[in-house]
């Protein structure tokens, strides 16, 4: 059992935001699995992303549990997710405490405010702000590599600060609101330090609004050829855009390294002084077997998540990973 501000994840195993947590059918199956301790929605924008089925897709490698995807965000708007979350939380007979993490993204302060207001309206309606444990949390996706002309904001953490301030203020106003950040895979120390000092700057009176970080998203600008995926080899590339975000086995060492580095930094005296040392880590990236899940835990993850294995196995993925985790 792991507590992230006001949500409890038990067992500490979840799906990370992805194309297989897109709609009510996906989300219900994930929620009803006894092996998930929480579920995460696909990333929603306020109005829905203009998905182009000719471009936005995913390919599976044949020889490893690796995916390359060219998806943007969910075509469904935030309002659709709020309706589905309400349906699941008011209808489920299974767990009374299993939370749903709503993944959102926006590029302006006005939009993020509107999205938080809509989520809070649902939380207040369901009494989520007054119960001992909450069931709705927010994950801000700062790291989709596939949006044309919009690089992952998590790579320039200082640019994110105005958006993060809005989330921080929402948490100050209602400390029952649980907020986390989905980060891109980082490759050198300065990038990790920027996140840590940014979180430190945002903390108020040594209290951080950000209960968790999710490491990592896919690694952008990656390429697989069609013959590596068993796809139609008349095409040259595995996905129509040639480039996409790589995930699964191929990013596992990098994801472990990101989790390990954040764990070290969050255990430092500096993090303690800044009041961010209690930030939990959701470790994601190449968790495609029980052994990989164990490695993620050993690297420092408090909670473990996966997307590629879910895409391959369906909800059974959590049974594979979950036994005795
Ligand atoms: C098909 C697909 C769609 C994804 N969509 C999202 C998304 O909407 N939001 C997000 O934060 N991450 C998204 N991701 C990234 C995953 O949540 C995860 O961070 C990444 O795939 C690494 O985990 P894995 O190795 O278990 O796949 C997506 C990944 C895949 C494979």
């Amino acid at each position: 059992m792991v507590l992230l501000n006001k949500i409890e994840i038990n067992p500490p195993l979840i799906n990370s935001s992805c194309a297989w947590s897109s709609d009510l059918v996906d989300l219900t199956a994930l929620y009803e699995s006894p092996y998930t301790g929480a579920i995460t929605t696909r990333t929603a924008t306020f109005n829905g992303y203009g998905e182009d089925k000719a471009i936005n897709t995913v390919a599976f490698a044949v020889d490893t549990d690796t995916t390359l995807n060219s998806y943007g965000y969910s075509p469904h708007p935030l309002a659709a997710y709020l309706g589905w979350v309400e349906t699941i939380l008011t209808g489920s007979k299974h767990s009374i405490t299993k939370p749903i993490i709503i993944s959102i993204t926006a590029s302006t302060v006005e939009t993020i405010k509107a999205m938080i207001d809509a989520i809070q309206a649902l939380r207040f309606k369901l009494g989520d702000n007054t119960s001992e444990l909450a069931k709705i949390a927010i994950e801000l996706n700062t790291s989709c590599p596939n949006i044309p002309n919009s690089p992952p904001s998590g790579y320039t953490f200082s640019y994110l600060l105005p958006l993060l301030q809005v989330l921080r203020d929402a948490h100050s106003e209602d400390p029952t609101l649980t907020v986390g950040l989905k980060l891109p895979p980082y490759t050198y120390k300065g990038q990790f330090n920027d996140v840590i000092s940014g979180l430190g700057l945002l903390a108020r009176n040594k209290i951080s609004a950000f209960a968790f970080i999710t490491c990592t998203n896919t690694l952008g600008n990656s390429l697989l050829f069609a013959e590596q995926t068993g796809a139609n080899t008349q095409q040259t590339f595995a996905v129509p855009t040639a480039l996409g975000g790589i995930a699964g086995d191929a990013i596992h060492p990098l994801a472990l390294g990101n989790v390990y580095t954040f764990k070290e930094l969050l255990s430092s005296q500096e993090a303690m002084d800044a009041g961010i040392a209690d930030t939990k880590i959701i470790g994601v990236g190449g968790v495609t077997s029980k052994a990989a899940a164990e490695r993620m835990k050993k690297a420092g993850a408090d909670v473990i998540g996966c997307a590629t294995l879910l895409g391959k196995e369906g909800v059974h993925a959590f049974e594979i990973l979950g036994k005795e985790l």
Side-chain angles (χ1 to χ4, degrees), residues 17 21 37 46 64 88 124 127 136 144 146 168 209 236 242 255 272 291 313:
S17 175
S21 59
F46 195 66
T64 66
I88 292 170
F124 297 159
I136 296 175
C144 180
N146 298 330
R168 190 266 314 269
T236 308
M272 277 176 222
E313 297 284 344

Side-chain angles (χ1 to χ4, degrees), residues 16-20 42-43 58 67 69 71-72 103 139 141 182 216-218 247-248 251 284-287 305-308:
S16 64
S17 175
C18 65
W20 304 292
R42 190 175 182 186
T43 300
V58 60
T67 51
N69 90 83
Y71 284 114
S103 170
E139 179 175 88
N141 181 359
K182 178 78 175 280
T216 73
N217 210 314
T218 59
I251 57 155
V284 181
V287 175
C306 73
T308 291

